[in-house]
Amino acid sequence: MKAYSVKIVMPKKASIDYRTALGEIKEHERSGVSVKETEKELVIEIETSDATALRSSVNAVLRDIQTIEGALSAK
């Protein structure tokens, strides 16, 4: 059972395909991450079994997004 959840909605940079870069769905023993994308926003939903896994998953996803956006802006 997943007891904790968070939904992150953020504006999307037009030139980035986040679903390809992040992967559409990631399922782990203690957490699951779903990535959805519209023309204007990125929606990430995370469900976990405990608060520590939630914090870790949020940090990992945000770090991945920061890396992707940083790499594209460095061109």
Side-chain angles (χ1 to χ4, degrees):
M1 179 175 92
K2 306 292 186 192
Y4 296 83
S5 66
V6 67
K7 182 177 186 178
I8 302 168
V9 180
M10 56 192 306
K12 179 183 161 192
K13 293 191 176 180
S15 62
I16 300 175
D17 182 0
Y18 289 93
R19 281 182 35 180
T20 300
L22 293 171
E24 191 171 332
I25 297 175
K26 297 178 184 181
E27 191 70 36
H28 303 285
E29 184 177 328
R30 293 170 51 197
S31 66
V33 179
S34 159
V35 179
K36 297 175 186 160
E37 200 170 354
T38 68
E39 200 173 296
K40 295 184 179 185
E41 58 187 20
L42 175 65
V43 179
I44 300 165
E45 295 183 55
I46 302 171
E47 293 184 337
T48 67
S49 55
D50 58 83
T52 301
L54 180 67
R55 181 189 50 80
S56 176
S57 295
V58 169
N59 286 342
V61 167
L62 293 177
R63 183 179 56 246
D64 289 349
I65 290 169
Q66 184 179 26
T67 301
I68 292 163
E69 291 179 350
L72 287 174
S73 67
K75 288 184 177 182

